[in-house]
Amino acid sequence: MPTLQTSTPARLCYLHLASKEPQRQIDFYQRMLDMDSQVQADGSWILSGPKRAMLVSPADHSGLLACAYDLGDQARLAALRDRLIERDCTIEDYHSPLLEPGAFLIRDPQGRQTIFGVSRPHPGADRQGMPGRLQHVVFQTTELEAMIDFYVNTVGFTVSDNVVDEQTGQLMVCFLRSDDEHHSLAFFRGSKNEWDHHCYETNEWNDIRDWGDRFAKERISIFFGPGRHGPGNNLFFMVVDADRNRLEFSAELEITDVAREPGIWPQGEYTLNSWGRAWIRS
């Protein structure tokens, strides 16, 4: 069966955030992530920096509205659209200032919005700044099996690793890839349906150090890490932004061959952080 990785590789290219205090959120990403801002006619802002971008819209709540994946060219985008229609996935045409015409949106069974398109050049993309490519997004869900079924069998993601409760055999976490990187999407079993975090991939361990130093100068404390994840084998730490959304900085994420079988990891702190204590979702 054709997958994103084998036929239409896709990379996360931007997030669309809602914010109750958008100016504070914009100031955070400008200051901490070297991003420029540009206001749009609808009152939203484009934020963009080196290999990272987002839209921020004023709202009565804060959180993630949608995530967008870049297919690289219009031929791949059209092939994915056709494949999704063949699999009875509802397609909605979508206009975005960060994507070329032809983008579209899908909704998963719990209503999460995923956009597919072809990235267009945006202000700030060429500016200098610390390395951190927007790389993956993670959710907590009360319906883990249904989410995996949709994203694998309808959309075409591939399972890289599963985390399983050894006592019950229940699946607890699933890491999904859309190209050769270990995951661009993941789901944790939880008691709520919510956005868990998003991640910026750096180049090496020294970048993790430098990002940590940057947040330290602003008295923004790390709440998880530094450490190394088992699935993906990446170095990491996590902080929160102005709206208390969680963001991760990562390095050395595994490159995953098409033929690799999904790994199975035991649920526990060592799996989520082989260096020590872990944040266990509940």
Side-chain angles (χ1 to χ4, degrees):
M1 183 176 71
T3 66
L4 292 171
Q5 183 183 14
T6 59
S7 300
T8 51
R11 280 199 164 186
L12 189 65
C13 60
Y14 78 85
L15 304 179
H16 187 179
L17 304 188
S19 180
K20 291 191 293 186
E21 298 185 64
Q23 192 58 58
R24 189 178 68 159
Q25 185 76 317
I26 291 161
D27 291 345
F28 173 91
Y29 281 96
Q30 285 180 316
R31 187 176 77 256
M32 302 307 302
L33 270 79
D34 305 313
M35 300 173 85
D36 293 334
S37 66
Q38 183 181 69
V39 67
Q40 302 296 289
D42 65 357
S44 297
W45 284 264
I46 294 175
L47 290 173
S48 59
K51 298 184 179 180
R52 47 190 179 262
M54 64 176 58
L55 293 175
V56 177
S57 294
D60 60 1
H61 67 285
S62 295
L64 181 65
L65 297 174
C67 55
Y69 284 81
D70 176 23
L71 272 292
D73 61 52
Q74 290 291 340
R76 287 180 180 173
L77 182 64
L80 177 60
R81 176 191 282 265
D82 290 344
R83 193 163 71 239
L84 290 172
I85 291 172
E86 288 174 3
R87 296 175 182 176
D88 296 322
C89 183
T90 301
I91 302 291
E92 303 174 42
D93 292 334
Y94 189 81
H95 171 75
S96 168
L98 292 170
L99 299 173
E100 294 179 3
F104 61 87
L105 176 149
I106 63 172
R107 301 173 191 267
D108 73 19
Q110 291 189 315
R112 296 177 189 83
Q113 299 182 31
T114 303
I115 302 159
F116 293 101
V118 177
S119 289
R120 64 169 60 177
H122 48 82
D126 296 327
R127 70 165 288 175
Q128 296 298 306
M130 290 175 62
R133 171 175 54 87
L134 180 63
Q135 194 279 322
H136 71 249
V137 63
V138 177
F139 299 93
Q140 296 183 39
T141 176
T142 59
E143 300 179 32
L144 182 56
E145 288 80 8
M147 294 304 100
I148 295 167
D149 178 69
F150 175 79
Y151 284 98
V152 171
N153 295 318
T154 298
V155 186
F157 283 82
T158 302
V159 176
S160 292
D161 280 308
N162 289 316
V163 178
V164 176
D165 186 317
E166 290 185 297
Q167 299 299 315
T168 65
Q170 187 177 45
L171 180 65
M172 301 303 294
V173 191
C174 184
F175 295 89
L176 301 164
R177 65 183 183 270
S178 55
D179 61 6
D180 291 343
E181 293 186 316
H182 180 270
H183 61 282
S184 62
L185 176 67
F187 285 93
F188 283 72
R189 186 183 300 279
S191 58
K192 296 180 288 185
N193 296 299
E194 65 179 19
W195 181 29
D196 190 274
H197 71 272
H198 69 290
C199 181
Y200 298 89
E201 182 72 7
T202 67
N203 297 326
E204 60 173 349
W205 170 247
N206 286 343
D207 296 329
I208 297 290
R209 175 202 64 193
D210 293 345
W211 279 108
D213 285 343
R214 170 173 285 195
F215 285 104
K217 288 178 182 177
E218 294 284 333
R219 299 296 189 267
I220 298 172
S221 298
I222 292 172
F223 81 88
F224 181 21
R228 185 185 290 278
H229 294 311
N233 196 42
N234 50 312
L235 302 159
F236 76 94
F237 73 81
M238 290 187 182
V239 293
V240 296
D241 66 18
D243 284 342
R244 309 300 295 176
N245 302 314
R246 294 175 284 261
L247 56 156
E248 178 180 23
F249 292 85
S250 164
E252 302 181 5
L253 183 66
E254 176 188 332
I255 300 301
T256 308
D257 186 81
V258 170
R260 176 186 179 280
E261 292 295 319
I264 300 177
W265 296 77
Q267 170 78 340
E269 288 192 313
Y270 183 83
T271 290
L272 298 180
N273 181 11
S274 61
W275 288 5
R277 299 302 301 270
W279 168 36
I280 303 292
R281 284 73 166 178
S282 61

